[in-house]
Amino acid sequence: MKTTLSILIVLSAWIFVNDIQYKVSLGKSPDCNGFNFCSLTKDNSLPKKENEVLAFINVNDEKHIEFSFIKRSISDQIFLKYFSTGTFILDEDFIISPEISEALKIDRNKLKLGKYQISDSYDKYVVVFTY
């Protein structure tokens, strides 16, 4: 029993240490309006702007990337614009920077335009994008 509990504690600590929170600026370049990602960075040291949310990113397979948007980082205004309909819209392809592509260990660097279902989890909104 003690061994199982110890293993679970170590695994939980490892998972939390290795999860990287990314900062996602919502909107479309150059003025960050519209429906898309304006930018995606690993730098969380600066204060979050109104259109920015935090997310964990996991690569599911060679065609799908899962973004888990952290609810507590989403303002009411951002929720109403991007998450309230249950569908996340990318109105054009989004190019992932080489730095982020390398961090995620992916060869393709483009999220494809489209409408993506939003799954509501306890503390996050999950969207699986095609890339």
Side-chain angles (χ1 to χ4, degrees):
M1 182 72 169
K2 285 183 179 181
T3 304
T4 304
L5 183 59
S6 297
I7 291 171
L8 287 174
I9 291 171
V10 169
L11 285 175
S12 297
W14 179 78
I15 289 170
F16 288 118
V17 167
N18 288 320
D19 277 342
I20 298 172
Q21 285 186 1
Y22 292 85
K23 190 182 290 185
V24 182
S25 295
L26 299 174
K28 186 169 33 173
S29 291
D31 57 1
C32 293
N33 285 321
F35 293 93
N36 210 320
F37 292 158
C38 198
S39 68
L40 176 60
T41 63
K42 286 181 9 180
D43 182 13
N44 292 325
S45 61
L46 298 174
K48 192 170 68 65
K49 296 178 185 172
E50 179 63 30
N51 70 323
E52 294 176 333
V53 298
L54 300 176
F56 294 106
I57 303 174
N58 294 307
V59 178
N60 289 354
D61 55 40
E62 65 276 352
K63 294 184 181 181
H64 300 96
I65 296 179
E66 179 180 283
F67 281 64
S68 297
F69 298 98
I70 302 167
K71 285 183 179 180
R72 69 181 178 342
S73 74
I74 300 171
S75 69
D76 291 343
Q77 182 181 4
I78 291 297
F79 170 79
L80 289 173
K81 183 172 183 179
Y82 295 98
F83 296 94
S84 65
T85 64
T87 302
F88 195 97
I89 299 170
L90 290 180
D91 60 3
E92 65 180 34
D93 292 343
F94 175 76
I95 304 301
I96 300 170
S97 72
E99 174 193 12
I100 301 298
S101 294
E102 185 177 315
L104 295 172
K105 297 177 175 69
I106 58 174
D107 294 329
R108 299 180 197 177
N109 67 340
K110 179 172 44 173
L111 296 181
K112 295 183 180 179
L113 74 101
K115 294 180 179 181
Y116 296 93
Q117 181 179 350
I118 299 170
S119 299
D120 188 352
S121 180
Y122 172 72
D123 60 347
K124 59 192 171 239
Y125 295 112
V126 179
V127 181
V128 178
F129 294 98
T130 303
Y131 76 105

PDB file of all heavy atoms in Angstrom, residues 30-52:
ATOM      1  N   PRO A  30      -2.854  41.508 -37.681  1.00  0.00           N
ATOM      2  CA  PRO A  30      -1.858  42.189 -36.870  1.00  0.00           C
ATOM      3  C   PRO A  30      -2.430  42.849 -35.620  1.00  0.00           C
ATOM      4  O   PRO A  30      -1.701  43.158 -34.688  1.00  0.00           O
ATOM      5  CB  PRO A  30      -1.311  43.257 -37.813  1.00  0.00           C
ATOM      6  CG  PRO A  30      -2.481  43.620 -38.664  1.00  0.00           C
ATOM      7  CD  PRO A  30      -3.259  42.325 -38.829  1.00  0.00           C
ATOM      8  N   ASP A  31      -3.756  43.049 -35.540  1.00  0.00           N
ATOM      9  CA  ASP A  31      -4.338  43.792 -34.413  1.00  0.00           C
ATOM     10  C   ASP A  31      -5.014  42.894 -33.373  1.00  0.00           C
ATOM     11  O   ASP A  31      -5.649  43.379 -32.451  1.00  0.00           O
ATOM     12  CB  ASP A  31      -5.316  44.842 -34.922  1.00  0.00           C
ATOM     13  CG  ASP A  31      -6.420  44.240 -35.772  1.00  0.00           C
ATOM     14  OD1 ASP A  31      -6.437  43.011 -35.960  1.00  0.00           O
ATOM     15  OD2 ASP A  31      -7.261  45.001 -36.263  1.00  0.00           O
ATOM     16  N   CYS A  32      -4.884  41.600 -33.526  1.00  0.00           N
ATOM     17  CA  CYS A  32      -5.450  40.613 -32.586  1.00  0.00           C
ATOM     18  C   CYS A  32      -6.971  40.712 -32.460  1.00  0.00           C
ATOM     19  O   CYS A  32      -7.520  40.528 -31.367  1.00  0.00           O
ATOM     20  CB  CYS A  32      -4.769  40.701 -31.218  1.00  0.00           C
ATOM     21  SG  CYS A  32      -3.049  40.207 -31.253  1.00  0.00           S
ATOM     22  N   ASN A  33      -7.649  40.980 -33.559  1.00  0.00           N
ATOM     23  CA  ASN A  33      -9.106  40.921 -33.622  1.00  0.00           C
ATOM     24  C   ASN A  33      -9.489  39.703 -34.446  1.00  0.00           C
ATOM     25  O   ASN A  33      -8.667  39.101 -35.102  1.00  0.00           O
ATOM     26  CB  ASN A  33      -9.689  42.186 -34.259  1.00  0.00           C
ATOM     27  CG  ASN A  33      -9.629  43.355 -33.313  1.00  0.00           C
ATOM     28  OD1 ASN A  33      -9.855  43.217 -32.119  1.00  0.00           O
ATOM     29  ND2 ASN A  33      -9.322  44.523 -33.838  1.00  0.00           N
ATOM     30  N   GLY A  34     -10.747  39.337 -34.433  1.00  0.00           N
ATOM     31  CA  GLY A  34     -11.189  38.192 -35.217  1.00  0.00           C
ATOM     32  C   GLY A  34     -11.078  36.903 -34.428  1.00  0.00           C
ATOM     33  O   GLY A  34     -10.932  36.896 -33.209  1.00  0.00           O
ATOM     34  N   PHE A  35     -11.147  35.796 -35.147  1.00  0.00           N
ATOM     35  CA  PHE A  35     -11.156  34.477 -34.514  1.00  0.00           C
ATOM     36  C   PHE A  35      -9.950  33.679 -34.987  1.00  0.00           C
ATOM     37  O   PHE A  35      -9.939  33.137 -36.089  1.00  0.00           O
ATOM     38  CB  PHE A  35     -12.451  33.734 -34.848  1.00  0.00           C
ATOM     39  CG  PHE A  35     -13.647  34.373 -34.230  1.00  0.00           C
ATOM     40  CD1 PHE A  35     -14.387  35.312 -34.927  1.00  0.00           C
ATOM     41  CD2 PHE A  35     -14.023  34.059 -32.938  1.00  0.00           C
ATOM     42  CE1 PHE A  35     -15.488  35.909 -34.343  1.00  0.00           C
ATOM     43  CE2 PHE A  35     -15.115  34.655 -32.343  1.00  0.00           C
ATOM     44  CZ  PHE A  35     -15.849  35.585 -33.059  1.00  0.00           C
ATOM     45  N   ASN A  36      -8.942  33.635 -34.153  1.00  0.00           N
ATOM     46  CA  ASN A  36      -7.736  32.900 -34.450  1.00  0.00           C
ATOM     47  C   ASN A  36      -6.794  33.034 -33.269  1.00  0.00           C
ATOM     48  O   ASN A  36      -7.179  33.536 -32.217  1.00  0.00           O
ATOM     49  CB  ASN A  36      -7.061  33.429 -35.722  1.00  0.00           C
ATOM     50  CG  ASN A  36      -6.305  32.344 -36.454  1.00  0.00           C
ATOM     51  OD1 ASN A  36      -5.653  31.518 -35.838  1.00  0.00           O
ATOM     52  ND2 ASN A  36      -6.393  32.335 -37.779  1.00  0.00           N
ATOM     53  N   PHE A  37      -5.560  32.604 -33.448  1.00  0.00           N
ATOM     54  CA  PHE A  37      -4.496  32.856 -32.479  1.00  0.00           C
ATOM     55  C   PHE A  37      -3.669  34.002 -33.013  1.00  0.00           C
ATOM     56  O   PHE A  37      -3.264  33.997 -34.173  1.00  0.00           O
ATOM     57  CB  PHE A  37      -3.594  31.641 -32.300  1.00  0.00           C
ATOM     58  CG  PHE A  37      -4.243  30.459 -31.650  1.00  0.00           C
ATOM     59  CD1 PHE A  37      -3.725  29.202 -31.825  1.00  0.00           C
ATOM     60  CD2 PHE A  37      -5.371  30.589 -30.850  1.00  0.00           C
ATOM     61  CE1 PHE A  37      -4.294  28.091 -31.218  1.00  0.00           C
ATOM     62  CE2 PHE A  37      -5.951  29.501 -30.243  1.00  0.00           C
ATOM     63  CZ  PHE A  37      -5.414  28.255 -30.433  1.00  0.00           C
ATOM     64  N   CYS A  38      -3.422  34.984 -32.187  1.00  0.00           N
ATOM     65  CA  CYS A  38      -2.562  36.092 -32.575  1.00  0.00           C
ATOM     66  C   CYS A  38      -1.109  35.703 -32.338  1.00  0.00           C
ATOM     67  O   CYS A  38      -0.240  35.994 -33.156  1.00  0.00           O
ATOM     68  CB  CYS A  38      -2.944  37.334 -31.773  1.00  0.00           C
ATOM     69  SG  CYS A  38      -2.344  38.858 -32.478  1.00  0.00           S
ATOM     70  N   SER A  39      -0.849  35.023 -31.222  1.00  0.00           N
ATOM     71  CA  SER A  39       0.499  34.527 -30.948  1.00  0.00           C
ATOM     72  C   SER A  39       0.425  33.383 -29.943  1.00  0.00           C
ATOM     73  O   SER A  39      -0.572  33.196 -29.256  1.00  0.00           O
ATOM     74  CB  SER A  39       1.401  35.647 -30.416  1.00  0.00           C
ATOM     75  OG  SER A  39       0.980  36.062 -29.139  1.00  0.00           O
ATOM     76  N   LEU A  40       1.531  32.651 -29.875  1.00  0.00           N
ATOM     77  CA  LEU A  40       1.660  31.522 -28.969  1.00  0.00           C
ATOM     78  C   LEU A  40       3.093  31.537 -28.452  1.00  0.00           C
ATOM     79  O   LEU A  40       4.037  31.477 -29.239  1.00  0.00           O
ATOM     80  CB  LEU A  40       1.373  30.223 -29.722  1.00  0.00           C
ATOM     81  CG  LEU A  40       1.544  28.895 -29.000  1.00  0.00           C
ATOM     82  CD1 LEU A  40       0.631  28.810 -27.789  1.00  0.00           C
ATOM     83  CD2 LEU A  40       1.246  27.755 -29.955  1.00  0.00           C
ATOM     84  N   THR A  41       3.257  31.663 -27.119  1.00  0.00           N
ATOM     85  CA  THR A  41       4.595  31.751 -26.541  1.00  0.00           C
ATOM     86  C   THR A  41       4.707  30.878 -25.298  1.00  0.00           C
ATOM     87  O   THR A  41       3.695  30.501 -24.692  1.00  0.00           O
ATOM     88  CB  THR A  41       4.960  33.202 -26.141  1.00  0.00           C
ATOM     89  OG1 THR A  41       4.056  33.632 -25.121  1.00  0.00           O
ATOM     90  CG2 THR A  41       4.890  34.152 -27.320  1.00  0.00           C
ATOM     91  N   LYS A  42       5.943  30.589 -24.921  1.00  0.00           N
ATOM     92  CA  LYS A  42       6.217  29.864 -23.678  1.00  0.00           C
ATOM     93  C   LYS A  42       6.495  30.831 -22.532  1.00  0.00           C
ATOM     94  O   LYS A  42       6.565  30.427 -21.394  1.00  0.00           O
ATOM     95  CB  LYS A  42       7.430  28.947 -23.846  1.00  0.00           C
ATOM     96  CG  LYS A  42       7.153  27.735 -24.670  1.00  0.00           C
ATOM     97  CD  LYS A  42       8.299  26.773 -24.870  1.00  0.00           C
ATOM     98  CE  LYS A  42       9.528  26.948 -24.107  1.00  0.00           C
ATOM     99  NZ  LYS A  42      10.574  25.962 -24.372  1.00  0.00           N
ATOM    100  N   ASP A  43       6.651  32.106 -22.820  1.00  0.00           N
ATOM    101  CA  ASP A  43       7.027  33.097 -21.815  1.00  0.00           C
ATOM    102  C   ASP A  43       5.817  33.537 -21.001  1.00  0.00           C
ATOM    103  O   ASP A  43       4.947  34.232 -21.490  1.00  0.00           O
ATOM    104  CB  ASP A  43       7.667  34.309 -22.490  1.00  0.00           C
ATOM    105  CG  ASP A  43       8.133  35.347 -21.482  1.00  0.00           C
ATOM    106  OD1 ASP A  43       8.189  35.036 -20.277  1.00  0.00           O
ATOM    107  OD2 ASP A  43       8.437  36.468 -21.899  1.00  0.00           O
ATOM    108  N   ASN A  44       5.770  33.106 -19.745  1.00  0.00           N
ATOM    109  CA  ASN A  44       4.683  33.495 -18.841  1.00  0.00           C
ATOM    110  C   ASN A  44       5.148  34.491 -17.793  1.00  0.00           C
ATOM    111  O   ASN A  44       4.456  34.746 -16.821  1.00  0.00           O
ATOM    112  CB  ASN A  44       4.108  32.257 -18.149  1.00  0.00           C
ATOM    113  CG  ASN A  44       3.393  31.363 -19.118  1.00  0.00           C
ATOM    114  OD1 ASN A  44       2.758  31.842 -20.059  1.00  0.00           O
ATOM    115  ND2 ASN A  44       3.498  30.073 -18.920  1.00  0.00           N
ATOM    116  N   SER A  45       6.344  35.044 -17.975  1.00  0.00           N
ATOM    117  CA  SER A  45       6.901  35.937 -16.954  1.00  0.00           C
ATOM    118  C   SER A  45       6.246  37.315 -16.958  1.00  0.00           C
ATOM    119  O   SER A  45       6.163  37.959 -15.919  1.00  0.00           O
ATOM    120  CB  SER A  45       8.410  36.079 -17.143  1.00  0.00           C
ATOM    121  OG  SER A  45       8.693  36.645 -18.415  1.00  0.00           O
ATOM    122  N   LEU A  46       5.780  37.764 -18.111  1.00  0.00           N
ATOM    123  CA  LEU A  46       5.138  39.076 -18.194  1.00  0.00           C
ATOM    124  C   LEU A  46       3.672  38.979 -17.792  1.00  0.00           C
ATOM    125  O   LEU A  46       3.055  37.923 -17.949  1.00  0.00           O
ATOM    126  CB  LEU A  46       5.247  39.627 -19.617  1.00  0.00           C
ATOM    127  CG  LEU A  46       6.664  39.872 -20.129  1.00  0.00           C
ATOM    128  CD1 LEU A  46       6.632  40.268 -21.600  1.00  0.00           C
ATOM    129  CD2 LEU A  46       7.358  40.937 -19.305  1.00  0.00           C
ATOM    130  N   PRO A  47       3.101  40.072 -17.277  1.00  0.00           N
ATOM    131  CA  PRO A  47       1.674  40.052 -16.940  1.00  0.00           C
ATOM    132  C   PRO A  47       0.822  39.720 -18.170  1.00  0.00           C
ATOM    133  O   PRO A  47       1.153  40.088 -19.289  1.00  0.00           O
ATOM    134  CB  PRO A  47       1.394  41.482 -16.459  1.00  0.00           C
ATOM    135  CG  PRO A  47       2.727  42.028 -16.080  1.00  0.00           C
ATOM    136  CD  PRO A  47       3.734  41.348 -16.946  1.00  0.00           C
ATOM    137  N   LYS A  48      -0.253  39.019 -17.925  1.00  0.00           N
ATOM    138  CA  LYS A  48      -1.159  38.593 -18.978  1.00  0.00           C
ATOM    139  C   LYS A  48      -1.993  39.772 -19.462  1.00  0.00           C
ATOM    140  O   LYS A  48      -2.536  40.521 -18.672  1.00  0.00           O
ATOM    141  CB  LYS A  48      -2.042  37.483 -18.426  1.00  0.00           C
ATOM    142  CG  LYS A  48      -2.833  36.724 -19.429  1.00  0.00           C
ATOM    143  CD  LYS A  48      -3.489  35.501 -18.814  1.00  0.00           C
ATOM    144  CE  LYS A  48      -4.565  35.811 -17.837  1.00  0.00           C
ATOM    145  NZ  LYS A  48      -5.749  36.458 -18.319  1.00  0.00           N
ATOM    146  N   LYS A  49      -2.100  39.921 -20.797  1.00  0.00           N
ATOM    147  CA  LYS A  49      -2.947  40.953 -21.392  1.00  0.00           C
ATOM    148  C   LYS A  49      -4.390  40.461 -21.443  1.00  0.00           C
ATOM    149  O   LYS A  49      -4.668  39.278 -21.245  1.00  0.00           O
ATOM    150  CB  LYS A  49      -2.459  41.286 -22.804  1.00  0.00           C
ATOM    151  CG  LYS A  49      -1.072  41.895 -22.830  1.00  0.00           C
ATOM    152  CD  LYS A  49      -0.640  42.144 -24.262  1.00  0.00           C
ATOM    153  CE  LYS A  49       0.793  42.638 -24.316  1.00  0.00           C
ATOM    154  NZ  LYS A  49       1.297  42.714 -25.685  1.00  0.00           N
ATOM    155  N   GLU A  50      -5.305  41.364 -21.759  1.00  0.00           N
ATOM    156  CA  GLU A  50      -6.737  41.052 -21.781  1.00  0.00           C
ATOM    157  C   GLU A  50      -7.076  39.905 -22.744  1.00  0.00           C
ATOM    158  O   GLU A  50      -7.929  39.085 -22.452  1.00  0.00           O
ATOM    159  CB  GLU A  50      -7.549  42.303 -22.161  1.00  0.00           C
ATOM    160  CG  GLU A  50      -9.042  42.083 -22.228  1.00  0.00           C
ATOM    161  CD  GLU A  50      -9.681  41.689 -20.902  1.00  0.00           C
ATOM    162  OE1 GLU A  50      -9.166  42.097 -19.847  1.00  0.00           O
ATOM    163  OE2 GLU A  50     -10.689  40.976 -20.918  1.00  0.00           O
ATOM    164  N   ASN A  51      -6.412  39.841 -23.889  1.00  0.00           N
ATOM    165  CA  ASN A  51      -6.745  38.813 -24.883  1.00  0.00           C
ATOM    166  C   ASN A  51      -5.900  37.544 -24.743  1.00  0.00           C
ATOM    167  O   ASN A  51      -5.934  36.691 -25.612  1.00  0.00           O
ATOM    168  CB  ASN A  51      -6.595  39.371 -26.298  1.00  0.00           C
ATOM    169  CG  ASN A  51      -5.153  39.625 -26.673  1.00  0.00           C
ATOM    170  OD1 ASN A  51      -4.351  40.055 -25.841  1.00  0.00           O
ATOM    171  ND2 ASN A  51      -4.814  39.356 -27.916  1.00  0.00           N
ATOM    172  N   GLU A  52      -5.149  37.407 -23.655  1.00  0.00           N
ATOM    173  CA  GLU A  52      -4.279  36.252 -23.468  1.00  0.00           C
ATOM    174  C   GLU A  52      -4.854  35.267 -22.458  1.00  0.00           C
ATOM    175  O   GLU A  52      -5.431  35.666 -21.449  1.00  0.00           O
ATOM    176  CB  GLU A  52      -2.879  36.703 -23.019  1.00  0.00           C
ATOM    177  CG  GLU A  52      -2.158  37.498 -24.083  1.00  0.00           C
ATOM    178  CD  GLU A  52      -0.814  38.026 -23.618  1.00  0.00           C
ATOM    179  OE1 GLU A  52      -0.617  38.241 -22.402  1.00  0.00           O
ATOM    180  OE2 GLU A  52       0.044  38.233 -24.490  1.00  0.00           O
TER     181      GLU A  52
END
